[in-house]
């Protein structure tokens, strides 16, 4: 069984904590029932003071357990698990108003979320309702970087008239509609741990690195083909016309295959070198060439259906594919070049040498100008 860990940022309203805990422990809200093993609260110096006053001095924690019919001490909120944001000299932060304080707090929040999500035996339930808006945003960012698939983030809402009532900490009757808690599950995309193993890197550096990585791997949004020029946005690559004819054949095969963007290559959108050499023999590559080049430009003569019947054209195919790859590799960081590179798919596991050439491009973005 996993350890359940609750993490929340709290401003000067400890109510968000009691409301959320009430929600997770109360039978009247069966949807996300959970009993926590640790409750970690992160706040400013002022927030920490109010939390301790309300939860212990004013007995709100005790009242919460009583309302939930729980034994005292069941909800594991402990004073030592209330963490305080510190400035860069280690002094407690009163309020998060300056950029510098915000950055220090963000680093501390990152550390806490990273720590608890590093243990495979935990499930983290994060709450982003408390504190200033910046804190909620920071919590979501920390979660995005460190949370695993099974961790979850929530936001708690209370009826409007209870929101600013400093004396309302949780419903007195769970079935009273006027006291109903609304909790929304926040679908944060968890990316950090799924994009890098260097999770302990300085978080600010990691955000920058991950952003760059995402940009490098962004799907191509358009592909314009004009003769032997292939372009996408400001990027473009120009191939020898004969090689362009081969690449256009492969791209058109992908487009006409009916395959989706995510097809890794199959017999419909790919073609074996032998079959491609047969298409060459049948004049298909010459047809494409003639569709965009003036007739008088030089290209190898069309194979003769009779004379060349037993001739092997696979070397022509291999040479052209290798020239295409070579040209595209001149700029291997370009998304356009990466997307156009003919990929060798091994679809037949019994014949490891047999391959299919495929250009893994989204069939829907292809536009032929000429
Ligand atoms: Zn396919």
């Amino acid at each position: 069984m996993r350890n359940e860990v609750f993490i929340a940022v709290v401003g000067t309203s400890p109510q968000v904590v009691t409301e959320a805990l009430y929600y997770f422990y109360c039978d009247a809200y069966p949807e996300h029932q959970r009993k926590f093993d640790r409750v970690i609260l992160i706040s400013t110096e002022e927030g920490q003071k109010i939390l301790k006053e309300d939860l212990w001095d004013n007995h709100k924690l005790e009242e919460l357990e009583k309302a939930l019919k729980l034994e005292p001490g069941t909800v594991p909120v402990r004073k030592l698990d209330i963490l305080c944001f510190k400035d860069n000299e280690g002094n407690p932060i009163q309020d998060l108003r300056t950029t510098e304080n915000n950055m220090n707090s963000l680093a501390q929040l990152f550390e806490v979320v990273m720590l608890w999500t590093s243990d495979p035996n935990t499930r983290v339930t994060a709450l982003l309702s408390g504190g200033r808006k910046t804190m909620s945003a920071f919590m979501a960012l920390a979660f995005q970087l460190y949370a695993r698939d099974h961790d979850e983030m929530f936001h708690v809402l209370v009826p409007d008239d209870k929101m600013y009532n400093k004396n309302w900490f949780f419903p007195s009757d769970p079935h009273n509609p006027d006291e109903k808690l609304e909790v929304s599950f926040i679908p944060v995309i968890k990316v950090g741990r799924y994009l890098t193993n260097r999770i302990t890197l300085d978080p600010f550096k990691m955000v920058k690195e991950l952003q760059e990585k995402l940009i490098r791997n962004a799907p191509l949004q358009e592909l314009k083909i004009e003769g032997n020029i292939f372009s996408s946005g400001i990027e473009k690559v120009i191939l020898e016309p004969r090689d362009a004819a081969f690449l256009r054949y492969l791209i058109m095969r992908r487009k006409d295959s009916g395959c989706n963007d995510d097809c890794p290559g199959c017999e419909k959108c790919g073609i074996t070198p032998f079959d491609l050499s047969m298409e060459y023999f049948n004049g298909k590559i010459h047809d494409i060439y003639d569709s965009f080049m003036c007739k008088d430009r030089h290209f190898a003569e069309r194979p003769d259906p009779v004379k060349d019947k037993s001739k092997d054209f696979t070397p022509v195919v291999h040479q052209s594919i290798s020239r295409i790859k070579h040209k595209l590799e001149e700029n291997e960081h370009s998304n356009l070049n990466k997307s156009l590179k003919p990929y060798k798919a091994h679809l037949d596991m019994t014949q490891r040498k047999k391959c299919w050439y495929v250009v893994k491009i989204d069939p829907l973005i292809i536009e032929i100008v000429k």
Side-chain angles (χ1 to χ4, degrees):
M1 220 175 69
R2 279 199 169 112
N3 277 328
E4 297 282 2
V5 178
F6 176 87
I7 304 179
V9 280
V10 193
T12 48
S13 304
Q15 284 88 344
V16 291
V17 178
T18 47
E19 288 153 6
L21 292 172
Y22 186 91
Y23 172 82
F24 288 113
Y25 277 82
C26 182
D27 295 339
Y29 298 97
E31 206 185 336
H32 298 110
Q33 282 269 307
R34 55 196 66 167
K35 313 282 171 258
F36 297 107
D37 298 291
R38 281 295 276 274
V39 173
I40 311 290
L41 307 175
I42 316 161
S43 191
T44 56
E45 189 177 34
E46 177 69 5
Q48 193 180 36
K49 199 177 122 236
I50 300 176
L51 259 170
K52 286 180 182 167
E53 264 170 24
D54 275 336
L55 294 183
W56 287 280
D57 304 346
N58 299 333
H59 310 287
K60 292 302 168 195
L61 185 58
E62 202 183 313
E63 289 171 21
L64 174 77
E65 287 173 326
K66 209 176 266 172
L68 291 163
K69 299 188 176 62
L70 298 171
E71 289 287 315
T74 310
V75 183
V77 187
R78 301 186 304 167
K79 283 181 186 163
L80 61 88
D81 284 334
I82 302 178
L83 312 177
C84 183
F85 289 124
K86 303 221 164 67
D87 65 18
N88 54 10
E89 281 162 2
N91 303 311
I93 291 174
Q94 288 287 336
D95 188 10
L96 296 171
R97 283 189 177 273
T98 67
T99 306
E100 200 191 323
N101 278 352
N102 273 324
M103 286 302 123
N104 281 323
S105 313
L106 180 55
Q108 288 159 57
L109 183 59
F110 277 145
E111 215 168 284
V112 170
V113 177
M114 184 177 74
L115 175 79
W116 288 103
T117 52
S118 297
D119 179 354
N121 231 354
T122 60
R123 170 168 70 174
V124 169
T125 299
L127 185 73
L128 53 59
S129 318
R132 294 191 177 277
K133 283 201 180 72
T134 41
M135 269 348 287
S136 306
F138 288 173
M139 184 60 143
L141 176 59
F143 206 72
Q144 195 171 34
L145 283 183
Y146 301 111
R148 289 94 24 111
D149 193 28
H150 61 269
D151 298 320
E152 293 183 323
M153 169 165 275
F154 294 90
H155 178 50
V156 178
L157 274 174
V158 299
D160 280 345
D161 62 311
K162 306 284 185 291
M163 189 123 99
Y164 302 102
N165 181 345
K166 288 276 175 198
N167 297 316
W168 196 83
F169 283 79
F170 49 84
S172 51
D173 173 3
H175 301 289
N176 178 359
D178 294 338
E179 294 189 293
K180 193 171 159 48
L181 298 170
E182 306 273 2
V183 169
S184 26
F185 168 77
I186 312 283
V188 179
I189 301 179
K190 300 147 187 167
V191 287
R193 288 190 188 269
Y194 301 95
L195 284 174
T196 180
N197 286 329
R198 308 202 310 144
I199 206 77
T200 52
L201 200 70
D202 172 73
F204 298 94
K205 241 186 224 164
M206 188 162 79
V207 167
K208 191 164 172 279
E209 270 193 27
L210 293 182
Q211 184 65 72
E212 286 164 1
K213 196 168 188 170
L214 284 169
I215 291 170
R216 279 199 303 278
N217 289 296
L220 210 59
Q221 296 193 346
E222 58 161 5
L223 172 66
K224 240 185 221 170
I225 305 176
E226 202 169 353
N228 57 335
I229 304 167
F230 302 79
S231 63
S232 181
I234 54 162
E235 284 192 82
K236 100 177 147 179
V237 58
I238 304 173
L239 295 180
E240 290 286 327
R242 57 189 167 161
D243 298 332
F246 270 105
L247 185 60
R248 286 177 66 138
Y249 177 89
L250 291 174
I251 291 171
M252 288 317 292
R253 195 171 170 89
R254 177 80 166 178
K255 188 174 164 75
D256 297 338
S257 64
C259 289
N260 287 329
D261 180 23
D262 57 2
C263 174
C266 66
E267 290 181 25
K268 273 191 290 175
C269 60
I271 186 166
T272 64
F274 175 75
D275 288 340
L276 188 51
S277 77
M278 289 312 289
E279 293 288 77
Y280 181 83
F281 169 69
N282 291 325
K284 294 277 175 59
I285 309 298
H286 283 77
D287 290 347
I288 296 173
Y289 183 90
D290 291 345
S291 74
F292 67 86
M293 291 301 289
C294 324
K295 294 281 191 290
D296 56 342
R297 283 291 297 265
H298 174 75
F299 188 34
E301 238 174 78
R302 273 179 189 266
D304 184 281
V306 183
K307 225 171 57 197
D308 296 327
K309 206 169 165 38
S310 50
K311 207 169 160 187
D312 179 13
F313 288 107
T314 50
V316 178
V317 168
H318 285 304
Q319 279 158 20
S320 197
I321 299 283
S322 116
R323 276 197 306 267
I324 293 169
K325 282 188 177 166
H326 195 75
K327 179 75 191 169
L328 298 177
E329 278 163 6
E330 279 176 11
N331 189 357
E332 63 175 329
H333 294 303
S334 139
N335 232 331
L336 173 69
N337 294 26
K338 255 192 298 188
S339 312
L340 290 181
K341 211 159 127 178
Y343 166 84
K344 262 186 182 175
H346 294 276
L347 305 173
D348 182 350
M349 286 305 156
T350 61
Q351 296 184 64
R352 288 298 301 165
K353 276 195 171 158
K354 195 171 175 189
C355 73
W356 278 255
Y357 283 126
V358 54
V359 175
K360 286 194 272 183
I361 194 159
D362 180 354
L364 296 176
I365 62 161
I366 302 164
E367 183 198 341
I368 309 241
V369 182
K370 184 190 143 192

